[in-house]
Amino acid sequence: MTDLDALKYTAEHEWVALSGTTATVGITDYAAEKLGDVVFVDLPAVGTAVTADTVCGEIESTKSVGELYAPLSGTVVEINEAVVDDPSLVNAGPFGDGWLVRIEIEPADADALLDRAAYVELTGGER
């Protein structure tokens, strides 16, 4: 089980796990629940430069289409091919096997992201 308190969060309902200069990014269980059954994921290619707070991908569900925002600026170093092949992993394990991208970042930039308590407050006390 992922330690949710160790993660950082965005107002766009993404989570970020930091490991040195690499940020693993996914959407939260709150976002996955609101989206419904995820049926398609469009992720940026490895090597793509992404800019914080800009759209870098798309998540389609049976209910709607949601945009994936880059939580931090950097370069995409890995995408989760398993999620591209089986988008339902986003719903089944948003904090685990359902991660989306890994971005090489400047670690200090993550200080501006939300902690767990602030994210829970943002969602009205849910998760």
Side-chain angles (χ1 to χ4, degrees):
M1 175 70 181
T2 301
D3 178 3
L4 302 182
D5 290 330
L7 302 175
K8 296 287 193 172
Y9 299 87
T10 71
E12 288 77 29
H13 308 290
E14 289 137 0
W15 59 264
V16 177
L18 300 169
S19 179
T21 59
T22 303
T24 301
V25 179
I27 65 168
T28 65
D29 52 351
Y30 177 85
E33 183 179 305
K34 294 295 182 195
L35 276 170
D37 294 333
V38 175
V39 295
F40 178 77
V41 177
D42 180 30
L43 301 175
V46 170
T48 300
V50 295
T51 303
D53 303 321
T54 63
V55 175
C56 66
E58 191 173 88
I59 301 171
E60 293 183 23
S61 72
T62 54
K63 289 184 184 178
S64 66
V65 176
E67 295 176 324
L68 175 65
Y69 289 85
L72 299 160
S73 295
T75 302
V76 175
V77 294
E78 185 179 356
I79 65 169
N80 187 348
E81 293 287 353
V83 165
V84 173
D85 294 339
D86 181 6
S88 70
L89 291 173
V90 173
N91 297 105
F95 293 108
D97 292 339
W99 66 273
L100 301 172
V101 297
R102 290 198 169 111
I103 304 169
E104 196 71 25
I105 58 134
E106 182 62 45
D109 293 347
D111 293 344
L113 299 175
L114 303 173
D115 63 12
R116 182 69 181 168
Y119 181 72
V120 168
E121 184 177 324
L122 175 80
T123 61
E126 293 187 48
R127 295 185 232 289

